[in-house]
Amino acid sequence: MLTLLGFKAWSQQEQVIDEVVAVVGANYVLQSDIEAQYIQFRMQGGITDARATRCQILEDLLFQKLMLNQAELDSVEVTDDQIEQTMDARFRYYIQQFGSQEKLEQFYKKSLIQIRDEFRVLVKEQLMVDEVQQGIVKDLKVTPSEVRAFFNSLPADSIPML
């Protein structure tokens, strides 16, 4: 079940803390999720249309939540070892990109332990989504000529311009 809604959490001073943008099953997408990914995209450069980028991020998050919902329905499990291995690889990459662990901590304004704790749930969910996607495409076989034939069958106005 997919539900789009505008639910706002309010503090005592009536200040918006976050906003639920969509709900897929028992999983939800927050406005802060969209903004966090938008900031990452902006850091990488290449954003020409902020609104279109945020819409694409929302679409991607909805797809992820749909796959996560399916993973939960299918009782997909990932081990702590899988999570830790994935996190170790990601944090080696992040530290390399930032130049040092200290710069990474300065960017997030948190210690590496706090950052890892926040990312643990995200990594677990991503591994579950990956497992569902692999299950969907495991028996799929497409040849280059089939891809070419499909591409050639598309109307010219349906092909995205890059």
Side-chain angles (χ1 to χ4, degrees), residues 8-57:
K8 296 184 181 187
W10 296 90
S11 70
Q12 289 180 350
Q13 298 140 355
E14 295 188 13
Q15 181 181 15
V16 175
I17 298 170
D18 210 343
E19 184 174 353
V20 175
V21 177
V23 177
V24 181
N27 304 295
Y28 49 89
V29 176
L30 298 174
Q31 183 66 39
S32 60
D33 297 333
I34 296 169
E35 290 306 311
Q37 284 198 19
Y38 178 78
I39 290 168
Q40 287 181 344
F41 284 175
R42 211 173 68 209
M43 284 176 44
Q44 295 169 358
I47 293 180
T48 56
D49 184 349
R51 184 179 173 106
T53 301
R54 283 186 175 94
C55 285
Q56 184 61 52
I57 291 169

Short mmCIF file of all heavy atoms in Angstrom, two decimals, residues 8-57:
data_model
loop_
_atom_site.label_atom_id
_atom_site.label_comp_id
_atom_site.label_asym_id
_atom_site.label_seq_id
_atom_site.Cartn_x
_atom_site.Cartn_y
_atom_site.Cartn_z
N LYS A 8 2.80 16.61 9.53
CA LYS A 8 3.88 17.40 10.11
C LYS A 8 3.97 17.14 11.60
O LYS A 8 2.96 17.10 12.29
CB LYS A 8 3.66 18.88 9.86
CG LYS A 8 3.71 19.23 8.38
CD LYS A 8 3.59 20.70 8.14
CE LYS A 8 3.63 20.96 6.64
NZ LYS A 8 3.68 22.33 6.31
N ALA A 9 5.19 16.98 12.07
CA ALA A 9 5.43 16.84 13.51
C ALA A 9 5.73 18.23 14.05
O ALA A 9 6.56 18.95 13.51
CB ALA A 9 6.61 15.90 13.75
N TRP A 10 5.07 18.60 15.14
CA TRP A 10 5.22 19.95 15.68
C TRP A 10 5.84 19.88 17.07
O TRP A 10 5.52 19.01 17.86
CB TRP A 10 3.86 20.63 15.78
CG TRP A 10 3.22 20.84 14.46
CD1 TRP A 10 2.40 19.98 13.80
CD2 TRP A 10 3.37 21.96 13.61
NE1 TRP A 10 2.03 20.49 12.60
CE2 TRP A 10 2.61 21.72 12.45
CE3 TRP A 10 4.09 23.15 13.70
CZ2 TRP A 10 2.54 22.61 11.42
CZ3 TRP A 10 4.00 24.04 12.65
CH2 TRP A 10 3.23 23.77 11.54
N SER A 11 6.69 20.81 17.37
CA SER A 11 7.23 20.93 18.72
C SER A 11 6.32 21.84 19.53
O SER A 11 5.32 22.34 19.02
CB SER A 11 8.66 21.49 18.67
OG SER A 11 8.62 22.85 18.28
N GLN A 12 6.66 22.11 20.78
CA GLN A 12 5.82 22.96 21.62
C GLN A 12 5.73 24.38 21.06
O GLN A 12 4.76 25.07 21.29
CB GLN A 12 6.36 23.00 23.04
CG GLN A 12 6.16 21.69 23.78
CD GLN A 12 6.72 21.77 25.19
OE1 GLN A 12 7.40 22.71 25.56
NE2 GLN A 12 6.41 20.76 25.98
N GLN A 13 6.76 24.82 20.32
CA GLN A 13 6.76 26.16 19.77
C GLN A 13 6.19 26.18 18.36
O GLN A 13 6.38 27.12 17.62
CB GLN A 13 8.19 26.71 19.77
CG GLN A 13 8.74 26.83 21.16
CD GLN A 13 10.19 26.43 21.23
OE1 GLN A 13 10.77 25.97 20.26
NE2 GLN A 13 10.78 26.58 22.39
N GLU A 14 5.50 25.10 17.97
CA GLU A 14 4.91 24.97 16.65
C GLU A 14 5.92 25.17 15.53
O GLU A 14 5.69 25.88 14.57
CB GLU A 14 3.71 25.91 16.49
CG GLU A 14 2.57 25.57 17.42
CD GLU A 14 1.33 26.39 17.14
OE1 GLU A 14 1.25 27.04 16.09
OE2 GLU A 14 0.43 26.34 17.98
N GLN A 15 7.04 24.50 15.67
CA GLN A 15 8.09 24.55 14.66
C GLN A 15 8.12 23.18 13.98
O GLN A 15 8.12 22.15 14.65
CB GLN A 15 9.43 24.87 15.31
CG GLN A 15 10.57 24.95 14.32
CD GLN A 15 11.87 25.25 15.03
OE1 GLN A 15 11.97 25.15 16.25
NE2 GLN A 15 12.87 25.63 14.27
N VAL A 16 8.18 23.16 12.65
CA VAL A 16 8.20 21.90 11.93
C VAL A 16 9.53 21.21 12.20
O VAL A 16 10.59 21.78 11.99
CB VAL A 16 8.02 22.13 10.41
CG1 VAL A 16 8.16 20.82 9.66
CG2 VAL A 16 6.67 22.76 10.12
N ILE A 17 9.46 19.96 12.67
CA ILE A 17 10.64 19.16 12.91
C ILE A 17 10.97 18.37 11.65
O ILE A 17 12.11 18.33 11.20
CB ILE A 17 10.44 18.20 14.10
CG1 ILE A 17 10.19 19.01 15.35
CG2 ILE A 17 11.62 17.27 14.27
CD1 ILE A 17 9.74 18.18 16.54
N ASP A 18 9.97 17.72 11.09
CA ASP A 18 10.13 16.94 9.88
C ASP A 18 8.73 16.73 9.30
O ASP A 18 7.73 17.05 9.94
CB ASP A 18 10.80 15.60 10.17
CG ASP A 18 11.62 15.09 9.00
OD1 ASP A 18 11.43 15.59 7.87
OD2 ASP A 18 12.47 14.21 9.20
N GLU A 19 8.68 16.16 8.12
CA GLU A 19 7.40 15.96 7.47
C GLU A 19 7.39 14.61 6.80
O GLU A 19 8.33 14.25 6.09
CB GLU A 19 7.17 17.06 6.43
CG GLU A 19 5.83 17.01 5.78
CD GLU A 19 5.59 18.20 4.86
OE1 GLU A 19 6.40 19.12 4.83
OE2 GLU A 19 4.57 18.17 4.16
N VAL A 20 6.34 13.82 7.04
CA VAL A 20 6.17 12.56 6.34
C VAL A 20 5.61 12.89 4.97
O VAL A 20 4.55 13.49 4.86
CB VAL A 20 5.22 11.61 7.12
CG1 VAL A 20 4.96 10.34 6.31
CG2 VAL A 20 5.78 11.28 8.48
N VAL A 21 6.35 12.48 3.94
CA VAL A 21 5.95 12.79 2.57
C VAL A 21 5.18 11.63 1.95
O VAL A 21 4.26 11.83 1.17
CB VAL A 21 7.20 13.12 1.72
CG1 VAL A 21 6.84 13.38 0.28
CG2 VAL A 21 7.94 14.31 2.31
N ALA A 22 5.56 10.39 2.31
CA ALA A 22 4.90 9.21 1.73
C ALA A 22 5.03 8.04 2.69
O ALA A 22 5.96 7.97 3.49
CB ALA A 22 5.53 8.86 0.39
N VAL A 23 4.08 7.10 2.57
CA VAL A 23 4.09 5.88 3.37
C VAL A 23 3.91 4.71 2.41
O VAL A 23 3.00 4.71 1.58
CB VAL A 23 2.96 5.88 4.43
CG1 VAL A 23 2.96 4.57 5.20
CG2 VAL A 23 3.09 7.06 5.36
N VAL A 24 4.80 3.72 2.52
CA VAL A 24 4.70 2.49 1.72
C VAL A 24 4.68 1.33 2.70
O VAL A 24 5.70 1.04 3.33
CB VAL A 24 5.88 2.34 0.74
CG1 VAL A 24 5.72 1.08 -0.09
CG2 VAL A 24 6.02 3.57 -0.16
N GLY A 25 3.52 0.71 2.87
CA GLY A 25 3.39 -0.34 3.88
C GLY A 25 3.63 0.28 5.23
O GLY A 25 3.00 1.26 5.61
N ALA A 26 4.59 -0.27 5.98
CA ALA A 26 4.93 0.27 7.30
C ALA A 26 6.13 1.21 7.24
O ALA A 26 6.61 1.67 8.27
CB ALA A 26 5.23 -0.88 8.26
N ASN A 27 6.61 1.50 6.04
CA ASN A 27 7.79 2.34 5.85
C ASN A 27 7.38 3.71 5.35
O ASN A 27 6.42 3.85 4.59
CB ASN A 27 8.74 1.68 4.84
CG ASN A 27 9.14 0.30 5.27
OD1 ASN A 27 9.80 0.13 6.28
ND2 ASN A 27 8.71 -0.71 4.52
N TYR A 28 8.10 4.72 5.77
CA TYR A 28 7.74 6.08 5.39
C TYR A 28 8.95 6.83 4.85
O TYR A 28 10.09 6.48 5.12
CB TYR A 28 7.12 6.84 6.56
CG TYR A 28 7.92 6.73 7.84
CD1 TYR A 28 8.93 7.65 8.13
CD2 TYR A 28 7.68 5.72 8.75
CE1 TYR A 28 9.68 7.55 9.28
CE2 TYR A 28 8.43 5.61 9.92
CZ TYR A 28 9.43 6.53 10.17
OH TYR A 28 10.17 6.43 11.31
N VAL A 29 8.66 7.85 4.06
CA VAL A 29 9.70 8.73 3.52
C VAL A 29 9.50 10.09 4.17
O VAL A 29 8.40 10.65 4.13
CB VAL A 29 9.58 8.87 1.97
CG1 VAL A 29 10.59 9.86 1.44
CG2 VAL A 29 9.73 7.51 1.30
N LEU A 30 10.57 10.60 4.77
CA LEU A 30 10.53 11.91 5.41
C LEU A 30 11.10 12.97 4.47
O LEU A 30 11.94 12.67 3.63
CB LEU A 30 11.34 11.91 6.71
CG LEU A 30 10.88 10.96 7.80
CD1 LEU A 30 11.88 10.97 8.95
CD2 LEU A 30 9.50 11.35 8.29
N GLN A 31 10.66 14.19 4.66
CA GLN A 31 11.23 15.32 3.91
C GLN A 31 12.73 15.40 4.15
O GLN A 31 13.50 15.69 3.24
CB GLN A 31 10.54 16.62 4.32
CG GLN A 31 11.02 17.84 3.55
CD GLN A 31 10.65 17.75 2.07
OE1 GLN A 31 9.57 17.29 1.72
NE2 GLN A 31 11.55 18.20 1.21
N SER A 32 13.16 15.09 5.37
CA SER A 32 14.59 15.14 5.68
C SER A 32 15.38 14.09 4.89
O SER A 32 16.55 14.31 4.58
CB SER A 32 14.82 14.96 7.18
OG SER A 32 14.32 13.71 7.61
N ASP A 33 14.75 12.96 4.56
CA ASP A 33 15.41 11.95 3.73
C ASP A 33 15.70 12.51 2.34
O ASP A 33 16.79 12.32 1.79
CB ASP A 33 14.54 10.69 3.57
CG ASP A 33 14.26 9.98 4.88
OD1 ASP A 33 15.09 10.08 5.81
OD2 ASP A 33 13.22 9.31 4.96
N ILE A 34 14.73 13.20 1.80
CA ILE A 34 14.88 13.80 0.47
C ILE A 34 15.97 14.87 0.50
O ILE A 34 16.85 14.92 -0.35
CB ILE A 34 13.54 14.40 -0.01
CG1 ILE A 34 12.51 13.28 -0.20
CG2 ILE A 34 13.73 15.19 -1.32
CD1 ILE A 34 11.10 13.77 -0.42
N GLU A 35 15.92 15.72 1.53
CA GLU A 35 16.90 16.81 1.63
C GLU A 35 18.31 16.29 1.84
O GLU A 35 19.27 16.83 1.29
CB GLU A 35 16.50 17.79 2.74
CG GLU A 35 15.28 18.62 2.39
CD GLU A 35 15.39 19.35 1.06
OE1 GLU A 35 16.42 20.03 0.82
OE2 GLU A 35 14.46 19.25 0.25
N ALA A 36 18.45 15.22 2.63
CA ALA A 36 19.79 14.66 2.87
C ALA A 36 20.39 14.15 1.56
O ALA A 36 21.57 14.40 1.27
CB ALA A 36 19.71 13.54 3.89
N GLN A 37 19.59 13.46 0.76
CA GLN A 37 20.10 12.97 -0.53
C GLN A 37 20.35 14.12 -1.49
O GLN A 37 21.31 14.11 -2.26
CB GLN A 37 19.15 11.96 -1.15
CG GLN A 37 19.24 10.62 -0.48
CD GLN A 37 18.64 9.51 -1.33
OE1 GLN A 37 18.45 9.64 -2.53
NE2 GLN A 37 18.34 8.41 -0.68
N TYR A 38 19.50 15.13 -1.43
CA TYR A 38 19.69 16.30 -2.29
C TYR A 38 21.03 16.98 -1.99
O TYR A 38 21.77 17.35 -2.90
CB TYR A 38 18.53 17.28 -2.12
CG TYR A 38 18.69 18.53 -2.95
CD1 TYR A 38 18.42 18.51 -4.31
CD2 TYR A 38 19.14 19.71 -2.38
CE1 TYR A 38 18.59 19.64 -5.09
CE2 TYR A 38 19.31 20.85 -3.14
CZ TYR A 38 19.03 20.81 -4.49
OH TYR A 38 19.22 21.94 -5.26
N ILE A 39 21.34 17.11 -0.71
CA ILE A 39 22.61 17.72 -0.31
C ILE A 39 23.78 16.89 -0.83
O ILE A 39 24.77 17.45 -1.33
CB ILE A 39 22.67 17.89 1.23
CG1 ILE A 39 21.69 18.99 1.66
CG2 ILE A 39 24.09 18.21 1.69
CD1 ILE A 39 21.44 19.05 3.15
N GLN A 40 23.67 15.56 -0.75
CA GLN A 40 24.74 14.71 -1.28
C GLN A 40 24.90 14.90 -2.79
O GLN A 40 26.01 14.99 -3.29
CB GLN A 40 24.46 13.24 -0.97
CG GLN A 40 24.67 12.89 0.48
CD GLN A 40 24.41 11.41 0.76
OE1 GLN A 40 23.80 10.70 -0.04
NE2 GLN A 40 24.88 10.96 1.91
N PHE A 41 23.78 14.97 -3.50
CA PHE A 41 23.84 15.19 -4.96
C PHE A 41 24.47 16.55 -5.27
O PHE A 41 25.25 16.69 -6.19
CB PHE A 41 22.45 15.12 -5.58
CG PHE A 41 21.90 13.74 -5.75
CD1 PHE A 41 20.62 13.55 -6.21
CD2 PHE A 41 22.65 12.61 -5.46
CE1 PHE A 41 20.09 12.28 -6.38
CE2 PHE A 41 22.14 11.34 -5.62
CZ PHE A 41 20.85 11.16 -6.07
N ARG A 42 24.08 17.55 -4.48
CA ARG A 42 24.61 18.89 -4.70
C ARG A 42 26.11 18.93 -4.48
O ARG A 42 26.84 19.61 -5.20
CB ARG A 42 23.90 19.89 -3.79
CG ARG A 42 23.78 21.27 -4.39
CD ARG A 42 22.95 22.20 -3.58
NE ARG A 42 23.67 22.49 -2.34
CZ ARG A 42 23.08 22.81 -1.20
NH1 ARG A 42 21.78 22.86 -1.12
NH2 ARG A 42 23.79 23.07 -0.13
N MET A 43 26.59 18.19 -3.49
CA MET A 43 28.02 18.13 -3.22
C MET A 43 28.77 17.50 -4.40
O MET A 43 29.91 17.85 -4.67
CB MET A 43 28.30 17.32 -1.96
CG MET A 43 27.98 18.07 -0.69
SD MET A 43 28.20 17.08 0.80
CE MET A 43 29.72 16.25 0.52
N GLN A 44 28.11 16.57 -5.09
CA GLN A 44 28.74 15.91 -6.23
C GLN A 44 28.67 16.79 -7.48
O GLN A 44 29.34 16.52 -8.46
CB GLN A 44 28.06 14.57 -6.50
CG GLN A 44 28.24 13.57 -5.38
CD GLN A 44 27.35 12.35 -5.53
OE1 GLN A 44 26.57 12.23 -6.45
NE2 GLN A 44 27.48 11.43 -4.58
N GLY A 45 27.86 17.83 -7.44
CA GLY A 45 27.72 18.75 -8.57
C GLY A 45 26.77 18.20 -9.62
O GLY A 45 26.30 17.08 -9.56
N GLY A 46 26.48 19.03 -10.60
CA GLY A 46 25.68 18.58 -11.72
C GLY A 46 24.18 18.76 -11.58
O GLY A 46 23.44 18.31 -12.44
N ILE A 47 23.70 19.40 -10.53
CA ILE A 47 22.26 19.63 -10.40
C ILE A 47 21.90 20.88 -11.18
O ILE A 47 22.42 21.96 -10.91
CB ILE A 47 21.84 19.79 -8.92
CG1 ILE A 47 22.03 18.46 -8.19
CG2 ILE A 47 20.40 20.26 -8.82
CD1 ILE A 47 21.65 18.50 -6.73
N THR A 48 21.03 20.71 -12.16
CA THR A 48 20.60 21.85 -12.96
C THR A 48 19.18 22.29 -12.60
O THR A 48 18.83 23.45 -12.76
CB THR A 48 20.65 21.53 -14.46
OG1 THR A 48 19.86 20.36 -14.71
CG2 THR A 48 22.08 21.28 -14.90
N ASP A 49 18.38 21.35 -12.11
CA ASP A 49 16.99 21.66 -11.77
C ASP A 49 16.69 21.06 -10.39
O ASP A 49 16.50 19.85 -10.26
CB ASP A 49 16.06 21.08 -12.84
CG ASP A 49 14.60 21.42 -12.61
OD1 ASP A 49 14.25 21.92 -11.52
OD2 ASP A 49 13.80 21.19 -13.53
N ALA A 50 16.66 21.91 -9.37
CA ALA A 50 16.49 21.45 -7.99
C ALA A 50 15.17 20.70 -7.81
O ALA A 50 15.12 19.65 -7.17
CB ALA A 50 16.56 22.63 -7.03
N ARG A 51 14.10 21.21 -8.38
CA ARG A 51 12.79 20.59 -8.23
C ARG A 51 12.76 19.20 -8.87
O ARG A 51 12.28 18.24 -8.28
CB ARG A 51 11.72 21.49 -8.83
CG ARG A 51 10.31 20.99 -8.64
CD ARG A 51 9.31 21.96 -9.25
NE ARG A 51 7.99 21.42 -9.23
CZ ARG A 51 7.04 21.80 -8.41
NH1 ARG A 51 7.29 22.76 -7.53
NH2 ARG A 51 5.85 21.26 -8.46
N ALA A 52 13.28 19.10 -10.09
CA ALA A 52 13.31 17.81 -10.79
C ALA A 52 14.20 16.81 -10.04
O ALA A 52 13.87 15.62 -9.95
CB ALA A 52 13.80 17.99 -12.22
N THR A 53 15.29 17.30 -9.47
CA THR A 53 16.18 16.42 -8.71
C THR A 53 15.48 15.89 -7.48
O THR A 53 15.55 14.70 -7.17
CB THR A 53 17.47 17.16 -8.32
OG1 THR A 53 18.13 17.60 -9.51
CG2 THR A 53 18.41 16.27 -7.53
N ARG A 54 14.78 16.75 -6.77
CA ARG A 54 14.05 16.31 -5.58
C ARG A 54 12.94 15.32 -5.96
O ARG A 54 12.70 14.35 -5.23
CB ARG A 54 13.47 17.51 -4.84
CG ARG A 54 14.51 18.26 -4.03
CD ARG A 54 13.88 19.36 -3.17
NE ARG A 54 14.85 19.98 -2.32
CZ ARG A 54 15.51 21.10 -2.63
NH1 ARG A 54 15.31 21.71 -3.79
NH2 ARG A 54 16.39 21.61 -1.78
N CYS A 55 12.28 15.55 -7.09
CA CYS A 55 11.24 14.62 -7.55
C CYS A 55 11.85 13.26 -7.87
O CYS A 55 11.28 12.22 -7.53
CB CYS A 55 10.52 15.17 -8.78
SG CYS A 55 9.37 16.48 -8.40
N GLN A 56 13.01 13.25 -8.50
CA GLN A 56 13.70 11.99 -8.82
C GLN A 56 14.12 11.28 -7.54
O GLN A 56 14.00 10.06 -7.43
CB GLN A 56 14.91 12.24 -9.71
CG GLN A 56 15.61 10.97 -10.16
CD GLN A 56 14.71 10.06 -10.97
OE1 GLN A 56 14.10 10.49 -11.94
NE2 GLN A 56 14.62 8.79 -10.59
N ILE A 57 14.60 12.04 -6.57
CA ILE A 57 14.98 11.45 -5.28
C ILE A 57 13.76 10.82 -4.61
O ILE A 57 13.84 9.69 -4.12
CB ILE A 57 15.63 12.52 -4.36
CG1 ILE A 57 17.00 12.93 -4.91
CG2 ILE A 57 15.74 11.99 -2.92
CD1 ILE A 57 17.59 14.16 -4.23
#
